[in-house]
Amino acid sequence: MPQDDAGSHLSGRATGDVDVIVVGAGFAGMYLLHRLRKLGVTARVFEAGSGVGGTWYWNRYPGARCDVESMQYSYAFSEELQQEWKWSELFSGQPEILTYANHVADRFDLRRDITFNTRVTSATWDATADVWTVGTDTGETVVARHVVMATGCLSSSRMPDIAGLDSFRGRVFHTGQWPHEQVEFTGRRVAVIGTGSSAIQSIPVIAEQAGHLTVFQRTPNFSIPSRNGPMTTEYEQSWKRDYATRREEARHMRSGVLSPLNDKSALADDAAARRDNYEARWSLGGTYFMQSYNDLALNKASNDTAVEFVHAKIRETVSNPSVAAKLLPTNHPIGTKRICVDTHYYETYNRANVTLVDLHETPINRITPEGVETAGQTYAVDDIVLATGFDAMTGTLLRIDITGRDGITLRDKWDGGPRTYLGLMTQGLPNMFMITGPGSPSVLSNMMVSIEQHVDWIVGCVDWMRAHGKTAIEADLAAENAWVEHVNEVAYRTLYPQANSWYMGANVPGKPQVFMPYIGGVGAYRAKCDEVAAAGYAGFALSGAKATAAAAE
Ligand code: N01
């Protein structure tokens, strides 16, 4: 068995310039770098932005906030870190989360191995040496044994295909690529296009500043009030007293969040009891509403009861009945598109300076130099905010020219939709891991929990390969096919595929419609990954003899 002769290098031979290249310095890339260093392997991180934080670096739009409580949406790997950090609110806003990311980068001295303002543009597998050659947009070429895509699931903003956008004379912003400097809307006429999570968070804040805000809505979404508030010492301490135990419990929950699931069917309650229960959940706030009953994602009749309740709340909140009617989501079961969480979203439509335009009645014809022209009229505006979402889960990966074994390209491989084994690797691309990739719980879970689980698994795998003299690991086609089938089968047992959501790739014209995340639950998924690792990486082909023999010559 080969020994480490270079200390930090894998399998007793130089693997290239570094052992591992990490793409992205969001929460995934940062934690991975920390763990790799502890393992004693060399790593370099490339980050397109000028700072750490990933999604929280880019999404600086007004009102941006996490919909998972900060006590849970934070790193669990360091007891000192989780004890010393203090969140000011239950659900933190983007500035505070970005401050936290920067604190972590400083505390663990991460920046010295991160190259900022550099986008990875290509990766090519060299089977003779079992290494990747990675190219960047700054012209750098780096060789490494492993590449880990810590590129995030919602990191390729989607510009809408609306005629005339380039001709607009005012300012255009995309929520996913918000400027770093303060954007002032005071007294201005603003258009927001889109009504997903980003829009629903930003609309109430922009409405407070703008002279007039016009919201262009194609599909209404369900939104639940967050009931955000200041963090109390009592609540904070209730977590910190036994943080490690609670974190461990969350790792085995379905969504990676400790949450109060009412473990019975919505149909087991009579109408009055159901209303009381929904009312209590509505008052509690946030995504916990979807835990009101255990079959809201599974049974249409149960789901309909939640839809009816939320519709009634919208009608109650919005004073103009015809505006309220336009805001009622009717084309998908609640929760099958990512549920939105807001602060005074529906109330905003009661303001005199806010207009809702229903694009089903009057579609957008084009953007003109002055504003937005619909089939009904032209709305003259000074600013357009595009809250039009992302090419989710696959967009960023497919932007990179990735060529694996025998010339297999990722674009060809995923032509019909993403195919992975466990959402961690895809056959044909040895030694390339994905963090929270398609086929893993990722966006259906508390991302922090899923990120830490993937990083721990990948670091464990790299360590195991080193100990066993393996220089290449690749998913077996049969294992991958079986996993893809399982991911689909589990998804189609639920109501999720009934929505034209970005989970299905339905928001990007021409994108294959495949349910991308794994809906089987974080706990079950973790157990499966652990089982695979314990069995010597069952379902993966590992090799090493050829390369190590060559190195010995
Ligand atoms: O994007 P979206 P997002 N003309 O895709 C509309 C996470 N997130 O950035 O539904 C007119 O949800 C589109 O309409 P339709 C979260 O996971 C989390 O808001 O396609 N409209 C839709 O209304 C979330 O799910 C947090 O008919 C057009 C909107 O744009 C994910 O990010 C906060 C259009 C896009 O909605 C994405 O959310 C924010 C066009 N040509 C985001 N094209 C939290 O943690 C698109 N639309 C809280």
Side-chain angles (χ1 to χ4, degrees):
M1 186 170 298
Q3 298 298 311
D4 278 3
D5 60 2
S8 69
H9 281 118
L10 303 179
S11 300
R13 58 188 283 272
T15 60
D17 305 334
V18 287
D19 298 322
V20 185
I21 287 175
V22 180
V23 188
F27 282 121
M30 288 165 66
Y31 176 46
L32 179 60
L33 174 60
H34 174 67
R35 287 294 317 272
L36 289 170
R37 278 190 190 157
K38 289 213 159 226
L39 196 63
V41 303
T42 55
R44 257 189 91 178
V45 182
F46 288 102
E47 166 56 53
S50 62
V52 297
T55 200
W56 302 106
Y57 169 91
W58 296 103
N59 288 267
R60 297 166 185 245
Y61 59 84
R65 186 173 292 288
C66 190
D67 60 2
V68 177
E69 278 189 39
S70 296
M71 295 311 294
Q72 305 203 53
Y73 187 90
S74 44
Y75 284 124
F77 71 85
S78 162
E79 179 62 13
E80 295 76 29
L81 174 67
Q82 68 184 6
Q83 289 295 337
E84 76 196 12
W85 184 261
K86 287 179 87 65
W87 297 103
S88 66
E89 292 178 278
L90 282 174
F91 296 92
S92 294
Q94 172 273 334
E96 190 167 355
I97 302 174
L98 188 59
T99 302
Y100 171 74
N102 278 292
H103 168 74
V104 172
D106 293 337
R107 195 188 190 289
F108 297 95
D109 186 23
L110 300 178
R111 289 179 215 277
R112 66 187 152 89
D113 288 321
I114 306 174
T115 306
F116 292 104
N117 301 307
T118 305
R119 191 176 280 283
V120 166
T121 52
S122 65
T124 308
W125 177 246
D126 174 356
T128 60
D130 287 348
V131 291
W132 284 96
T133 302
V134 171
T136 73
D137 64 355
T138 55
E140 208 177 334
T141 301
V142 187
V143 175
R145 162 103 344 122
H146 297 278
V147 173
V148 185
M149 296 297 186
T151 40
C153 297
L154 295 157
S155 46
S156 279
S157 302
R158 206 180 77 74
M159 298 302 279
D161 192 12
I162 303 176
L165 188 53
D166 289 345
S167 73
F168 181 61
R169 276 205 290 263
R171 301 181 301 179
V172 178
F173 305 99
H174 192 291
T175 47
Q177 292 171 17
W178 202 260
H180 287 205
E181 60 279 6
Q182 178 79 19
V183 176
E184 194 51 67
F185 290 114
T186 306
R188 295 174 72 86
R189 298 164 302 171
V190 183
V192 171
I193 299 180
T195 47
S197 297
S198 304
I200 281 175
Q201 290 187 331
S202 57
I203 283 167
V205 184
I206 296 174
E208 278 180 14
Q209 295 175 14
H212 196 90
L213 170 64
T214 309
V215 177
F216 294 86
Q217 170 190 269
R218 197 162 62 180
T219 311
N221 264 303
F222 292 98
S223 190
I224 311 292
S226 73
R227 313 289 176 205
N228 188 28
M231 180 72 69
T232 63
T233 307
E234 191 188 351
Y235 188 69
E236 181 188 351
Q237 285 310 316
S238 74
W239 273 89
K240 290 190 172 177
R241 262 196 303 277
D242 59 351
Y243 225 153
T245 316
R246 288 193 179 200
R247 298 281 207 184
E248 182 54 20
E249 232 179 287
R251 290 184 185 111
H252 300 278
M253 302 292 286
R254 191 171 185 80
S255 60
V257 179
L258 274 191
S259 54
L261 173 67
N262 183 12
D263 203 7
K264 67 175 172 181
S265 165
L267 305 180
D269 273 345
D270 63 22
R274 240 186 345 249
R275 201 175 47 246
D276 288 350
N277 184 34
Y278 284 138
E279 198 65 62
R281 296 289 171 144
W282 185 263
S283 303
L284 184 63
T287 57
Y288 300 140
F289 184 81
M290 290 311 295
Q291 313 258 303
S292 299
Y293 293 103
N294 67 8
D295 60 348
L296 295 183
L298 300 171
N299 181 332
K300 180 71 168 54
S302 295
N303 191 287
D304 286 345
T305 65
V307 169
E308 194 187 327
F309 177 85
V310 177
H311 280 185
K313 283 291 178 197
I314 297 171
R315 286 201 193 90
E316 217 174 86
T317 312
V318 179
S319 42
N320 180 329
S322 87
V323 175
K326 289 176 186 166
L327 288 165
L328 302 183
T330 51
N331 77 344
H332 60 282
I334 186 168
T336 55
K337 281 188 167 193
R338 168 66 175 242
I339 193 106
C340 302
V341 174
D342 72 90
T343 304
H344 306 314
Y345 175 63
Y346 293 117
E347 291 87 337
T348 298
Y349 291 97
N350 295 333
R351 296 177 65 105
N353 71 333
V354 176
T355 305
L356 177 68
V357 177
D358 181 347
L359 298 181
H360 280 298
E361 285 173 6
T362 53
I364 295 176
N365 287 340
R366 64 180 65 82
I367 307 282
T368 69
E370 288 76 34
V372 182
E373 180 194 302
T374 68
Q377 69 177 89
T378 298
Y379 298 84
V381 295
D382 303 308
D383 301 314
I384 297 178
V385 174
L386 302 169
T388 46
F390 301 90
D391 183 351
M393 302 201 77
T394 57
T396 305
L397 294 168
L398 291 173
R399 267 197 200 169
I400 304 170
D401 285 321
I402 300 176
T403 308
R405 184 176 46 71
D406 302 329
I408 296 173
T409 69
L410 185 64
R411 288 189 195 119
D412 283 347
K413 173 85 196 284
W414 285 9
D415 193 35
R419 302 189 70 79
T420 70
Y421 180 38
L422 298 171
L424 279 161
M425 296 191 96
T426 189
Q427 177 259 355
L429 307 185
N431 292 7
M432 180 176 282
F433 298 98
M434 289 164 278
I435 297 183
T436 64
S440 74
S442 62
V443 290
L444 295 176
S445 69
N446 177 354
M447 287 300 276
M448 288 301 235
V449 169
S450 288
I451 282 170
E452 288 193 338
Q453 185 247 334
H454 266 187
V455 167
D456 292 346
W457 193 96
I458 291 166
V459 170
C461 178
V462 168
D463 191 27
W464 188 93
M465 287 176 69
R466 185 166 65 155
H468 291 78
K470 303 296 183 191
T471 52
I473 178 167
E474 182 181 344
D476 284 339
L477 189 56
E480 179 172 295
N481 288 343
W483 184 251
V484 170
E485 202 176 303
H486 174 63
V487 170
N488 265 303
E489 195 253 323
V490 179
Y492 279 86
R493 269 190 246 151
T494 74
L495 304 175
Y496 276 81
Q498 293 186 18
N500 286 328
S501 66
W502 58 258
Y503 297 138
M504 295 288 293
N507 65 327
V508 179
K511 187 165 174 169
Q513 306 243 333
V514 173
F515 192 80
M516 295 185 284
Y518 177 56
I519 207 170
V522 162
Y525 173 79
R526 174 185 295 274
K528 170 73 182 170
C529 291
D530 289 349
E531 184 189 303
V532 163
Y537 296 92
F540 291 96
L542 286 126
S543 57
K546 168 196 71 178
T548 42
E553 284 166 10

